[in-house]
Amino acid sequence: MIINVFSKSFFSWFNMIPFCDPSSSYHAHKFDIDKAINRVLDSGWYVLGPEVDAFEQEFASYNGKGFHAVGVANGTDAIALCLRGLGLVSGDEVITSSHTAVATVAGIEHAGCTPVFADIDPHTRCISPRAIEERMGTNTRAIMPVHIYGQPAEMHRILEIGKTHNLAVVEDCSQAHGAEIDGQKVGTFADIAAYSCYPTKNLGGTGDGGVILCRSKELAEKIKSLRQYGWNEARESIIPGFNSRLDELQAAILRVKLQHLSDDNAKRRAIALRYNEGFKELTITLPALAQNELHAMHLYVIECDRRDELMKYLRSHQIGASLHYPKAVHQHDAYANRIRGWEFLPVTDQFYQRSLTLPMYPELSSDAVEHIISTVQNWFWEKS
Ligand SMILES: Cc1ncc(COP(=O)(O)O)c(C=O)c1O
């Protein structure tokens, strides 16, 4: 196919402001990342080595005192390994939300467990504690809140429910590295937490990666064994495991990115505040930014009527508005009609009719932010 570089569509695509931009993160920290990559290449040690050890220690101390981290191959494995590490077995139910990346549910099933859906809270967009209690059954063994878009779930209430009903709590922090509630990082509230370090994440590498955080050294050691065929130090398999190793290149890059995570999250929040200010007169539901929380602002998602029309308009003005997600998990063919709880998720179902993601990444320029705000305002004014 011959592309006409002067055609309008090529020009528009070329100038599109993306909803996220992993390459700008690489360029922002290029010098240190290139140095880290060369160090690994020169070392000749490419999988589970000194960079992974150092990343695990640095990630654990970034989150608080007395934690252990385990680097794994991706966030989906991290979820499965958390559940396997806790000893959950086939048939054990894990209550989570359908408003998440499919990966949350894929990870639960990968561990042999059975996902169950509870509805979300319209304010936080995370799992509703009341809905969790409504979904509880005789096989329920765990709750998996997802801090969706970087918004902390209601951890205090979820932990209370877990304690009352003797359930494990596993945080899916894949979109919320560095988010806080009352000064405490998410991922440190529950028994264990899973993170994805996919390139688009707040803490993202240049390939697949993931990490697990927990307080128990014993649990961390068990997961270290599970991530490598269930081996002990003598390389004998003492439990059935699989391969979910983190490579040295990703670990070295994540170590560089970790140093900038808090600053990058603060830049994201500043953009979100500017958006919220620019949209406050419009009939849009904005992301909630609570005083006692640090939102990691992984994605900036609004809700409004005529969402599809607005998305089309924004795209025609070179703004990469997008959907997270086009479908809730229970609406995908692979999961439809088979996961307990799917029939009654009214808040989730409504959210998927109205939600729209606007560009959000630390390097997004203020000119771009102002262009996005004025374009959204223009659409509302033209339509009113
Ligand atoms: C909420 C959530 N959970 C889990 C994952 C799984 O991560 P990965 O793609 O690294 O397997 C992701 C990433 O897409 C995610 O957003």
Side-chain angles (χ1 to χ4, degrees), residues 310-358:
L310 174 58
M311 181 163 69
K312 204 167 154 206
Y313 181 84
L314 293 175
R315 287 184 176 178
S316 72
H317 287 78
Q318 287 77 53
I319 296 166
S322 172
L323 300 182
H324 290 87
Y325 296 88
K327 289 179 175 183
V329 181
H330 71 283
Q331 296 162 347
H332 287 256
D333 286 350
Y335 301 101
N337 307 341
R338 73 170 178 85
I339 299 203
R340 190 164 74 74
W342 72 270
E343 310 93 323
F344 190 69
L345 302 169
V347 183
T348 303
D349 289 335
Q350 205 202 9
F351 182 82
Y352 275 76
Q353 303 294 316
R354 292 170 44 85
S355 62
L356 183 65
T357 305
L358 300 183

Side-chain angles (χ1 to χ4, degrees), residues 176-202:
H177 317 69
E180 294 180 9
I181 305 169
D182 298 322
Q184 183 180 345
K185 295 259 187 321
V186 302
T188 65
F189 286 86
D191 302 289
I192 192 162
Y195 300 75
S196 165
C197 298
Y198 185 73
T200 58
K201 302 301 191 211
N202 291 38

Side-chain angles (χ1 to χ4, degrees), residues 73-79 99-107 144-149 172-176 194-201 207-211 298-299 325:
N74 57 66
T76 311
D77 282 0
I79 288 170
H99 173 38
T100 182
V102 158
T104 306
V105 178
M144 187 175 293
V146 181
H147 305 295
I148 198 81
Y149 308 146
D172 183 346
C173 297
S174 296
Q175 303 190 1
Y195 300 75
S196 165
C197 298
Y198 185 73
T200 58
K201 302 301 191 211
D208 275 314
V211 61
H298 173 57
L299 293 171
Y325 296 88

Side-chain angles (χ1 to χ4, degrees), residues 36-62:
I37 289 172
N38 286 326
R39 186 174 68 234
V40 173
L41 294 180
D42 282 341
S43 77
W45 195 334
Y46 301 134
V47 176
L48 287 191
E51 298 287 343
V52 172
D53 287 346
F55 170 62
E56 289 174 344
Q57 277 167 27
E58 288 159 13
F59 187 74
S61 29
Y62 172 81

Side-chain angles (χ1 to χ4, degrees), residues 203-256:
L203 178 64
T206 60
D208 275 314
V211 61
I212 290 169
L213 188 75
C214 62
R215 213 178 264 280
S216 158
K217 188 167 191 288
E218 203 186 336
L219 182 53
E221 291 303 326
K222 182 177 177 189
I223 291 171
K224 281 186 179 177
S225 167
L226 284 170
R227 79 174 163 187
Q228 185 159 234
Y229 321 124
W231 276 353
N232 64 11
E233 283 186 1
R235 298 186 165 204
E236 286 165 13
S237 293
I238 45 168
I239 35 172
F242 59 100
N243 173 4
S244 185
R245 297 179 291 229
L246 180 63
D247 73 69
E248 287 284 283
L249 278 174
Q250 296 312 321
I253 292 165
L254 291 170
R255 291 181 66 198
V256 176

Side-chain angles (χ1 to χ4, degrees), residues 103-316:
T104 306
V105 178
I108 294 170
E109 292 198 333
H110 186 32
C113 300
T114 304
V116 172
F117 288 140
D119 210 355
I120 54 170
D121 175 273
H123 187 68
T124 64
R125 298 145 167 196
C126 298
I127 198 163
S128 146
R130 197 167 44 81
I132 294 173
E133 289 187 299
E134 287 166 7
R135 282 295 179 275
M136 213 86 77
T138 46
N139 293 325
T140 307
R141 297 286 176 270
I143 308 168
M144 187 175 293
V146 181
H147 305 295
I148 198 81
Y149 308 146
Q151 161 69 52
E154 291 174 71
M155 287 313 300
H156 295 302
R157 287 187 61 198
I158 293 169
L159 290 179
E160 249 175 62
I161 296 171
K163 202 166 162 198
T164 309
H165 299 274
N166 198 23
L167 304 174
V169 179
V170 180
E171 294 175 70
D172 183 346
C173 297
S174 296
Q175 303 190 1
H177 317 69
E180 294 180 9
I181 305 169
D182 298 322
Q184 183 180 345
K185 295 259 187 321
V186 302
T188 65
F189 286 86
D191 302 289
I192 192 162
Y195 300 75
S196 165
C197 298
Y198 185 73
T200 58
K201 302 301 191 211
N202 291 38
L203 178 64
T206 60
D208 275 314
V211 61
I212 290 169
L213 188 75
C214 62
R215 213 178 264 280
S216 158
K217 188 167 191 288
E218 203 186 336
L219 182 53
E221 291 303 326
K222 182 177 177 189
I223 291 171
K224 281 186 179 177
S225 167
L226 284 170
R227 79 174 163 187
Q228 185 159 234
Y229 321 124
W231 276 353
N232 64 11
E233 283 186 1
R235 298 186 165 204
E236 286 165 13
S237 293
I238 45 168
I239 35 172
F242 59 100
N243 173 4
S244 185
R245 297 179 291 229
L246 180 63
D247 73 69
E248 287 284 283
L249 278 174
Q250 296 312 321
I253 292 165
L254 291 170
R255 291 181 66 198
V256 176
K257 296 280 197 85
L258 183 61
Q259 293 170 31
H260 303 281
L261 177 59
S262 296
D263 280 355
D264 284 349
N265 282 352
K267 287 180 190 164
R268 289 172 181 269
R269 276 191 298 277
I271 294 169
L273 282 172
R274 177 66 198 108
Y275 276 150
N276 278 7
E277 176 64 23
F279 301 148
K280 70 177 184 211
E281 306 294 339
L282 309 176
T283 47
I284 291 181
T285 306
L286 303 171
L289 292 170
Q291 286 294 332
N292 68 325
E293 292 172 355
L294 279 189
H295 195 306
M297 211 33 86
H298 173 57
L299 293 171
Y300 182 88
V301 180
I302 60 171
E303 293 158 70
C304 64
D305 293 337
R306 300 161 78 183
R307 179 271 318 268
D308 291 340
E309 283 174 51
L310 174 58
M311 181 163 69
K312 204 167 154 206
Y313 181 84
L314 293 175
R315 287 184 176 178
S316 72

